[in-house]
Amino acid sequence: MAPTSAARAVAISTLGSLLLAACGSSSAPAPGTPPPRESGQSRLIEKTFAGKNRCNPQDHTRPFVIEWDGTDTSSFESRATTDVVFVRYEGCNLQVVDTCTNDDVRGSLGAYGPVDWTSGSVEKVDIMNEDELYAKLPLGANTIGARVQGGERFHMEYFVSGTRKATRPAVYRGDLDKLPGCRGVTHYVYAYNVGAFALGSFARLEGSAGVTLWGIGAGGSKKNQSAIEKQGGVLGSCRGESATEGATCKVPIRLALREIEPGDNPDAKAAIAPETPDALNLAGKLQQDNTRSREANERLASAQRKANARDGKGCLTELDAFDRLEKRPGAQSTEPKGFGFLRAQCLMIAGQCSAGRALARRSTEARGTGESASAIDRQLDGQVAVYCGSGAKEPRDQLLVALHVLHEGASRERTTPKTCLTAIDTGSAALPKVRPRDEEDRDVKGAARTLAEYGTKCLARAGDCLTAWKRFPALQAEWGRAEKVQWGTAPPEVRSSFESATYGECVGKDSGPLTPMEELALADKQLDWAAGHSTTEATVPLCKGLIARGKRALAALRDDRNDYAKYGRSNVGKYGATCLAKAGDCSGARAHFIEQYREERSDRSMLDAEDAYASAVSRGECSTKLEAGGLSPADAVANALRVLSQARGEAKGCAGAWAALKKNMAGATDAALRKKYEQDLQRRPLACFDTALQCDDAWAAYKTANGWRAKPLDDRELRASFTSSASKCSDTTAPGLSASEQYWAAISQMERSEKKPKAKCTALYQAAKRTASSVTLRKGNSHDDPDYAYGACLARAGECGAAREAILRSPGGRDARWVDQFIRSSCKTSD
């Protein structure tokens, strides 16, 4: 973490003057500058051991680096990720030499292993005078020396959480001389302590020397936070399970320096002398490295397996072992560019959600995918939701986890009611505290809806429909407030929304005590759901149970004038029938529907009821099924007519219904009923057989039904009516036609409006001429004449000349002018 602005205000500006191992500079004053004022106190300080040795690097190889600002700290950490850090350390000046590196082979001069974590504790340093300043915190001489000299006192606290050591115990001058950028290097950072620190003046503190003012626990005071003048990290974050994972307790605070060794690296010499003891020692080292590399890979694979098994702590243990074995610079799991992404996942699983999110972000950014900040946020939200679980402590993380739990419980694995309720309560508590980051933050924007829909469905799938029903109204109301949606609060509206939210999981299950209106709404909506959705299995007991609940509710609401009591009766009838039909009980479906229909519409006929039933069951299997028995002849006739209207295209269905119709017409003696059904009796059998291409049966049924009419049609009317009513069978020449029937069949077919080829017109004309003697034509009516009918047929065929001649032959006294006008309007092509 970058230091605060207060801390930065006292930081020096260059890295070369950042690290001080002793007090002020021992260099002679620049020419022309007056010597420093030598107070009596200063002269006393110079006589102390610290004063005499304050600029001797050999005596200060473990300098604090509390004067680094955020940029310097970040640069050091970045360099230390892949390479050992080299410095020029002369007098009181320490400068990091950024150029001392081999960019072609990162880590070729050494790297740093993982942090060796320690339990740590808050250490305190009180600076009461100049003597203590140079003895305890000599690097502060340049920044606070004058203030201490003026009598001001300072207090510093620091916490060392761990140490990171270099992989090489020594670096040799011979290796550095090959790199031009390493000129002037005197030391390398062999190790560095990480943790956090804070420094402030007693003048602004509430407390006294020796008291923990910024540390962890009861001694830490929030009132003193504003008194911090210089800090690195956050002391308060250095306790707890996630302390070693967060960046706020991992900043460099102190270095361990080692001088560059003279000469060449003995391993380099051993590499070209295979028979010397040094060469054998090097071979052993290489063999050891190979063994460590194999073990590291095994540890990494084990970590991944444990992560997949949701064993977060086990995964972290394996990753810690991997980090100790892994020699490749920057490949450790604590490094964002290494396996930080896996460690982040394991931290989340282990309950360290905030630390995991922080490392996941650094890992994503380090990979340099080019994703926008918003896209990275959404990616991290997804990881938090999946992996954090109960370890989520921030409201946003808690909300995301709750939404994920409910989504899983609602859509995938069924869970327990307790899990669903915990997620609902956690999400509901966090929701008011979280605001969407932007328009793309859809999870948070739609959180209220998710809590209502998935929370309710999660409970329903977990088997607790009673609780789901109780919690749903409040959850839906919160959804409405969040998205400014006005939900209906009437029982049918609430029940409909509930069934949609639970997706039928609660159909037929207990919802606790209900009012009659709520009971009617339950029966209505659940019957509808069971009948209309494949996700719910409709069984006869389920349908009948819901029908019974609906009827009890209707009985209780007999005197209620609410419109829904009326509509609810129709719905129970309709949806109860469709539910039973889906369950395979066609007789029960029909009986229930007809009963309900006739109660509401006593003035309507049985055929009306049958047709309404067919519409209700939507042409399913039950719509074409005849009732086996138990019906009066009149009701059986209506039943057969309904099947005939629904069984179009099914020859077997037409034949069965037609047989039932003929059988029961003998017993249906009500003349008024026969007259009311007259058109249906003749047209429905025709339409059924016509659609099934059973043309002979179509004509036979039409002719038979003509005998049931109060005033049967004569041969001319019957055949004309058949030809105009039939679609596919209009040209049928059924066997057994009388001469009269053949004549009128030919006439009606020639006069039919669709176009026929000339040969067909001629054949029909010849048939009419052959049977003309069997009929008596109406005087003056040319439409009964075969020549006129033949002319009309030829005109539609485009045979204009022949059509003109045929019409002129027909009786009626039409002159040539009328005929020519008729031909112009009727003939499809010019002669």
Side-chain angles (χ1 to χ4, degrees), residues 576-781:
T578 51
C579 184
L580 288 168
K582 182 181 176 184
D585 184 5
C586 294
S587 293
R590 178 192 170 279
H592 169 66
F593 183 89
I594 298 295
E595 176 190 9
Q596 201 83 4
Y597 184 90
R598 297 303 296 274
E599 284 181 6
E600 295 182 48
R601 301 172 179 85
S602 57
D603 59 323
R604 307 298 289 272
S605 69
M606 179 59 74
L607 182 56
D608 292 331
E610 290 280 356
D611 287 342
Y613 167 69
S615 177
V617 296
S618 303
R619 289 187 58 83
E621 180 182 350
C622 288
S623 71
T624 58
K625 189 169 184 179
L626 281 166
E627 190 62 27
L631 300 181
S632 68
D635 289 352
V637 166
N639 183 249
L641 286 173
R642 181 257 296 171
V643 174
L644 283 165
S645 70
Q646 299 295 314
R648 295 179 180 181
E650 300 177 9
K652 184 178 179 180
C654 296
W658 173 241
L661 181 61
K662 289 191 295 183
K663 175 183 177 181
N664 287 284
M665 276 301 294
T669 57
D670 186 345
L673 183 65
R674 281 183 171 232
K675 183 172 180 58
K676 189 171 185 177
Y677 291 174
E678 190 173 75
Q679 293 295 322
D680 294 295
L681 287 168
Q682 196 156 26
R683 294 183 182 274
R684 292 196 185 198
L686 167 61
C688 193
F689 287 120
D690 181 58
T691 307
L693 281 175
Q694 300 291 313
C695 295
D696 293 347
D697 293 328
W699 169 249
Y702 200 71
K703 189 174 180 180
T704 300
N706 186 49
W708 297 333
R709 296 174 67 96
K711 185 180 179 181
L713 303 174
D714 60 25
D715 288 348
R716 180 186 63 79
E717 294 170 327
L718 182 64
R719 192 63 205 194
S721 175
F722 174 83
T723 302
S724 63
S725 299
S727 174
K728 299 177 181 179
C729 296
S730 61
D731 290 344
T732 184
T733 53
L737 290 180
S738 67
S740 174
E741 290 171 341
Q742 292 180 42
Y743 178 86
W744 292 118
I747 294 296
S748 63
Q749 289 172 26
M750 284 190 290
E751 290 184 339
R752 192 174 172 89
S753 61
E754 76 270 7
K755 179 180 177 180
K756 294 179 174 64
K758 180 180 179 181
K760 180 67 172 177
C761 294
T762 301
L764 291 171
Y765 176 67
Q766 292 171 351
K769 294 293 285 185
R770 188 173 58 249
T771 57
S773 60
S774 64
V775 298
T776 301
L777 302 180
R778 293 171 295 181
K779 289 184 179 182
N781 192 333

Side-chain angles (χ1 to χ4, degrees), residues 60-127:
H60 299 282
T61 57
R62 298 191 66 244
F64 282 97
V65 289
I66 65 170
E67 291 192 4
W68 276 357
D69 62 15
T71 301
D72 299 324
T73 300
S74 176
S75 298
F76 177 86
E77 290 180 311
S78 176
R79 174 70 60 183
T81 298
T82 57
D83 293 280
V84 160
V85 179
F86 293 93
V87 301
R88 182 183 295 112
Y89 193 15
E90 297 173 340
C92 290
N93 296 317
L94 188 149
Q95 180 182 4
V96 172
V97 182
D98 289 327
T99 58
C100 188
T101 181
N102 184 355
D103 289 329
D104 293 332
V105 184
R106 305 312 301 264
S108 60
L109 298 176
Y112 295 102
V115 177
D116 292 325
W117 302 108
T118 60
S119 58
S121 62
V122 177
E123 302 291 339
K124 300 178 295 294
V125 175
D126 292 324
I127 307 300

Side-chain angles (χ1 to χ4, degrees), residues 122 157 212-222 225 235-239:
V122 177
E157 295 179 5
T212 300
L213 302 176
W214 300 299
I216 306 156
S221 172
K222 293 183 179 180
Q225 293 300 313
L235 281 166
S237 68
C238 292
R239 285 288 189 219

